[in-house]
Amino acid sequence: MKMNKFKVSMTAAMASLLLLTTACSSSNSNSGSGAAEGKQEVTITFRSSGSEDTLTKYFESGLIEKFETDNPDIKIKIAPVLASEGDYTSKIVLQMKSPDTAPDIVAEDTSIIKSDAAAGYLEPLDTQVAGWSDWKDKFIENLKAGVTGEDGKIYGVPATSDTRGIWYNKELLAQAGLPVPFKPANWDEVLEAARTIKDKLPGVTPLNMIVGKSSGEGVTMQTLEMLLYGTNDTLYNDETKKWVVSSPGLLDSFKFINQLFNVDKTGPSMQVALNGQAGSIAFQQLFPQGKLAMAVDGSWAGSTWFENGAAPIENVADKMGFAPFPTQNGQEPGAITMSGGWAWSIPAQSQNKEAAWKFLEFLMNQENATGRVVAEGNLSPRNDSVDVAGYTDRTYTAEAQALLEVAKFRPANDQYATVSAQLQSIVESIASGKLSPEDAVKQLKDNVTRSLGEDKVEVK
Amino acid sequence: MKRKSRGAFLFLTPSVLLLLIFFIVPIILTICFAFTNMALTGSAARNLQFIGFQNFTNMFQDPDFRISVWRTLVFLIFSAVIGQVVLGFILALLMKEKNVTFRRIIGIIVIAGWVTPEIVVAFCMVAFFSDNGSLNQIIGWFGISPVSWLFSFPMVSVIIANIWHGTAFSMMVYQSALDEIPKDIEEAATIDGASNFKILSYITIPMVKGSIVTNMMLVTLQTLGVFTLIYTMTGGGPGTATQTLPVFMYNQAFVNYQFGYGTAISLVLLVIGIVASLFYMKSMKVKV
């Protein structure tokens, strides 16, 4: 009798355990595909900057409703990730590792797309783009290199593009007796302008450059590579497939940063420079308050001052200007810019790839792709965006677009993230006076050699 | 007797199983991963390989690692051993046998730092030390020009922050230990003519030795793991000025995406914790 009771209770316990696990698993599959409503649920993940995020607002401005009306069997769920640039990458990678958490469409920075493709997180899209007429003619050809993996397959659709240059306050430059429009011919003229502003306008930060490693990739691309690619050297040798960890150009670039921050002291205070929000502080506070004269930053940054931006400035085109960043000694082509941008990819573990591609095609058609870059102040990856009303007549767009002709792209290699992280830390150390330019070159050489191996680096 | 022990074993099984799943397996996995090239992204993420002691050789050749070990020791000695343990003891001693209201007021002030979550402490401290923060305003009243504390004295700033956050714990441990010393022993010593200092060094401290060691161990292990505070206040910078091992580990694992290397560093951190604990136990001759 006793034994029976035990058996009964054990069976009951097992049964309830079973029920619990099945309940769990069925709720999982429901949330994954939206099967309960008989619809496929496509989750789209991207980096959000918070409640005022432009991309989130753009999705919610009727775009999704329109797609869902046309495709009643698909439900779109937006799942923005609130994170800094560096954290975003690791968060989405962790999500993409498992089919339970992988989104169906993900925004990938073109600097990390090759790494993620090599790791097997992304779905090759060659068949899809082959059947998509827009891909061949309408997308700017050299942007496709940014979404091509090392195996030559396409892993994303470029969504935004950008260029970088010197943003400046016309009124402050005029007060300091500098020519407006500002068009420096070489590095010396940039540094000289900064020194003039320091002398003439006390209380004004002459030149902001992103150097805090908490700003992540911005340090490498916006500051170091803007300098380096204006010398005769590059970061990666495409012919030998090796990283150039020591070169005269690299040393000169480090010297420029040292000159700006430690010798001339014409850079921002370290408290601002090392802050993860250095870019926002410059564009949302210092520039509008007239406390900053120049800043090297991306073409999108000026949209901060537009009517619907975070810190609107009246008659912005009269007050602020955008100048090309010069090459080191003014050598051909005279100006330099780095171009990057974001792409949309489909994770390999996505459960709804077909529906995801359908939405991606819709998202990247002429009208919607242009709508997004207009909202965000970016450049479009589509060459037919110029035909859409409102694209080219935005302030600064013509200047930024023109820079695309001299644009360089980051090395097409899946080890870029490792090298970039080293550079971020080194640039911060130079700017904060903890490392001399010469020691910095040595440190970069040692560290990259150690992480990637002797056979992956070369010295010029 | 045999049946009894078998029964005892049966009752122990659940706790042993739980320990195994949630404690021992993760440690074993960490040890295994430290010998692989595990990475978050890139081709290494696809081909997980055993690479022997490669991570450890790299680590010991890495100047950043040596700097981080040094920073960790400085942070540990000043913010845990000297700061929290000594300050906590002094506070507890000063409050001993004081009037209840006084004890309560001081207690609330100190414990406020302890109950505040680490991330909130970090933000408060940033507000305190920043360029136009409270500290610069206070020294401004005395005509001293503002100092960029987080930039010029980053290590001092994070050490003060950790002391502010952690001292209450030590204080409470010592308070309860001191309260347990029978009054008559100290009274007898006073009657025999012992000075306050002698009473403290020959009676009070030896009697709370056990609490001191336990507390030192807990505070050390807690401080070895401090990440949020430093990461939020300085991000490990400027340069590598406040890059302790946990921050270094995070940077390798989640900024450089080298998980294998990150886990190897975490093992070193674990070893430092074990060595420190053994050292305390040995030096104070306490058996655990």
Side-chain angles (χ1 to χ4, degrees):
Chain A
M1 191 62 196
K2 249 186 182 172
M3 204 55 205
N4 266 345
K5 221 176 184 178
F6 176 74
K7 262 187 187 165
V8 169
S9 56
M10 276 312 277
T11 323
M14 290 302 278
S16 54
L17 203 70
L18 244 151
L19 209 69
L20 200 74
T21 43
T22 39
C24 281
S25 60
S26 70
S27 78
N28 259 349
S29 58
N30 272 347
S31 67
S33 61
E37 300 151 49
K39 285 184 180 185
Q40 275 196 306
E41 191 176 81
V42 171
T43 311
I44 178 161
T45 290
F46 51 91
R47 185 184 156 223
S48 154
S49 59
S51 57
E52 288 297 298
D53 186 60
T54 350
L55 188 53
T56 316
K57 279 190 192 167
Y58 177 62
F59 275 123
E60 286 167 350
S61 66
L63 190 80
I64 288 170
E65 279 104 63
K66 194 172 167 222
F67 179 78
E68 285 178 347
T69 323
D70 295 347
N71 299 277
D73 55 331
I74 302 175
K75 190 176 159 28
I76 302 296
K77 184 183 157 199
I78 59 167
V81 171
L82 197 66
S84 72
E85 214 167 288
D87 289 344
Y88 173 75
T89 312
S90 36
K91 281 188 179 177
I92 55 161
V93 163
L94 292 172
Q95 282 187 4
M96 287 192 292
K97 269 173 171 265
S98 155
D100 290 336
T101 50
D104 301 300
I105 299 177
V106 66
E108 286 265 323
D109 190 321
T110 45
S111 74
I112 199 77
I113 207 163
K114 286 175 213 295
S115 273
D116 284 354
Y121 297 142
L122 304 178
E123 181 75 7
L125 300 174
D126 296 71
T127 357
Q128 285 92 327
V129 295
W132 186 29
S133 54
D134 285 14
W135 179 254
K136 198 160 174 283
D137 311 322
K138 308 292 191 217
F139 278 83
I140 296 173
E141 198 54 41
N142 62 0
L143 291 179
K144 292 178 187 171
V147 294
T148 309
E150 285 205 278
D151 54 4
K153 290 182 184 162
I154 305 286
Y155 284 97
V157 177
T160 65
S161 176
D162 47 40
T163 54
R164 280 143 189 81
I166 306 174
W167 290 98
Y168 62 95
N169 183 322
K170 291 179 179 172
E171 290 169 357
L172 290 179
L173 261 67
Q175 277 174 36
L178 291 162
V180 173
F182 182 54
K183 212 176 172 198
N186 51 42
W187 287 4
D188 284 340
E189 288 190 24
V190 176
L191 291 169
E192 186 53 43
R195 283 192 288 265
T196 311
I197 291 159
K198 190 188 174 189
D199 288 346
K200 300 267 173 68
L201 307 169
V204 170
T205 303
L207 173 59
N208 188 63
M209 283 181 100
I210 308 275
V211 291
K213 62 183 176 194
S214 48
S215 299
E217 171 60 14
V219 178
T220 318
M221 190 181 191
Q222 231 125 280
T223 299
L224 183 84
E225 288 171 347
M226 282 294 282
L227 292 163
L228 179 61
Y229 282 79
T231 70
N232 300 323
D233 293 306
T234 53
L235 190 57
Y236 186 72
N237 187 337
D238 284 316
E239 283 159 25
T240 58
K241 306 264 177 227
K242 286 179 180 186
W243 295 93
V244 186
V245 287
S246 174
S247 65
L250 194 64
L251 180 64
D252 289 345
S253 308
F254 287 162
K255 280 184 177 163
F256 182 98
I257 296 164
N258 187 49
Q259 182 80 24
L260 178 71
F261 280 88
N262 300 313
V263 182
D264 298 346
K265 295 191 190 303
T266 45
S269 80
M270 276 300 126
Q271 204 98 38
V272 171
L274 302 188
N275 191 309
Q277 301 298 318
S280 311
I281 295 176
F283 281 81
Q284 295 178 17
Q285 295 172 27
L286 301 178
F287 260 133
Q289 292 165 358
K291 287 181 181 164
L292 176 62
M294 301 182 279
V296 179
D297 216 310
S299 50
W300 66 86
S303 65
T304 314
W305 308 317
F306 295 168
E307 212 175 312
N308 51 358
I313 295 179
E314 262 179 71
N315 303 328
V316 61
D318 299 338
K319 287 182 184 154
M320 302 290 183
F322 184 64
F325 195 84
T327 49
Q328 184 177 13
N329 303 308
Q331 66 260 52
E332 281 297 307
I336 189 76
T337 195
M338 296 302 295
S339 183
W342 289 78
W344 292 116
S345 295
I346 297 181
Q349 301 275 20
S350 155
Q351 303 296 304
N352 305 294
K353 287 175 190 154
E354 256 176 62
W357 176 256
K358 219 170 185 182
F359 183 59
L360 209 60
E361 257 184 287
F362 167 80
L363 199 59
M364 288 312 298
N365 68 27
Q366 186 187 15
E367 185 195 348
N368 295 334
T370 313
R372 175 192 173 175
V373 291
V374 168
E376 285 191 319
N378 278 315
L379 301 182
S380 172
R382 291 183 64 115
N383 52 30
D384 57 357
S385 285
V386 286
D387 305 333
V388 178
Y391 177 69
T392 40
D393 43 353
R394 288 174 305 158
T395 322
Y396 309 123
T397 302
E399 289 99 317
Q401 187 95 27
L403 277 175
L404 271 177
E405 283 175 29
V406 294
K408 300 272 184 188
F409 295 85
R410 285 166 288 185
N413 187 294
D414 77 340
Q415 291 155 339
Y416 179 77
T418 311
V419 179
S420 171
Q422 289 293 349
L423 282 168
Q424 290 159 30
S425 161
I426 283 171
V427 168
E428 177 176 300
S429 298
I430 298 172
S432 54
K434 314 263 177 206
L435 199 63
S436 73
E438 289 78 11
D439 289 344
V441 173
K442 193 181 167 298
Q443 191 171 323
L444 181 75
K445 190 173 143 232
D446 290 351
N447 291 0
V448 174
T449 310
R450 204 179 40 251
S451 346
L452 303 183
E454 289 274 358
D455 55 332
K456 295 276 167 45
V457 299
E458 69 179 30
V459 170
K460 254 179 106 179
Chain B
M1 192 64 195
K2 248 189 176 172
R3 268 186 74 139
K4 230 180 178 178
S5 72
R6 201 181 301 152
F9 182 74
L10 213 73
F11 279 109
L12 272 175
T13 321
S15 54
V16 170
L17 263 178
L18 283 175
L19 264 179
L20 205 73
I21 296 171
F22 294 107
F23 199 74
I24 297 169
V25 171
I27 289 188
I28 293 174
L29 278 180
T30 309
I31 295 173
C32 293
F33 289 148
F35 295 93
T36 66
N37 65 345
M38 194 184 204
L40 193 60
T41 181
S43 44
R46 192 181 281 193
N47 318 312
L48 187 69
Q49 279 171 349
F50 269 92
I51 52 167
F53 284 92
Q54 191 64 46
N55 284 330
F56 293 91
T57 359
N58 283 353
M59 193 192 311
F60 291 112
Q61 285 168 357
D62 190 343
D64 265 9
F65 171 74
R66 289 195 289 268
I67 291 170
S68 304
V69 171
W70 175 242
R71 306 268 188 254
T72 311
L73 290 179
V74 170
F75 184 64
L76 190 65
I77 291 169
F78 286 95
S79 85
V81 181
I82 298 182
Q84 295 181 30
V85 174
V86 177
L87 189 66
F89 190 77
I90 294 173
L91 278 173
L93 210 60
L94 290 176
M95 281 163 71
K96 196 183 166 210
E97 283 158 34
K98 291 286 173 340
N99 131 337
V100 182
T101 330
F102 173 79
R103 275 179 78 140
R104 277 201 190 132
I105 293 171
I106 297 292
I108 288 170
I109 293 173
V110 181
I111 290 169
W114 186 61
V115 295
T116 315
E118 207 170 311
I119 180 82
V120 183
V121 172
F123 280 118
C124 290
M125 287 294 162
V126 169
F128 181 69
F129 285 114
S130 67
D131 274 1
N132 32 20
S134 342
L135 185 56
N136 276 336
Q137 282 180 5
I138 293 168
I139 62 170
W141 297 336
F142 302 99
I144 306 168
S145 50
V147 179
S148 288
W149 298 102
L150 287 171
F151 174 66
S152 309
F153 304 99
M155 199 39 134
V156 178
S157 307
V158 293
I159 285 173
I160 292 177
N162 196 39
I163 293 176
W164 187 79
H165 180 46
T167 305
F169 177 76
S170 303
M171 187 192 80
M172 288 186 292
V173 170
Y174 294 137
Q175 256 182 340
S176 69
L178 289 176
D179 285 345
E180 275 174 21
I181 298 176
K183 263 189 184 163
D184 44 354
I185 301 181
E186 285 173 344
E187 276 168 10
T190 318
I191 292 163
D192 288 343
S195 67
N196 278 342
F197 181 73
K198 277 199 167 157
I199 297 178
L200 181 70
S201 46
Y202 289 106
I203 297 172
T204 318
I205 292 183
M207 289 194 80
V208 296
K209 203 166 77 175
S211 303
I212 293 179
V213 176
T214 318
N215 181 48
M216 267 191 151
M217 218 151 74
L218 290 175
V219 169
T220 301
L221 294 180
Q222 197 267 334
T223 303
L224 274 179
V226 169
F227 169 77
T228 318
L229 192 70
I230 299 179
Y231 195 75
T232 314
M233 282 180 72
T234 63
T240 51
T242 51
Q243 183 173 275
T244 56
L245 275 176
V247 178
F248 181 59
M249 181 174 78
Y250 175 86
N251 282 337
Q252 296 305 323
F254 292 99
V255 179
N256 289 3
Y257 311 125
Q258 302 299 320
F259 271 9
Y261 193 34
T263 31
I265 299 164
S266 75
L267 274 192
V268 173
L269 200 59
L270 186 73
V271 170
I272 294 181
I274 294 172
V275 170
S277 310
L278 289 177
F279 171 75
Y280 292 140
M281 283 190 260
K282 201 96 183 158
S283 62
M284 298 294 244
K285 297 194 183 87
V286 174
K287 278 184 194 155
V288 175

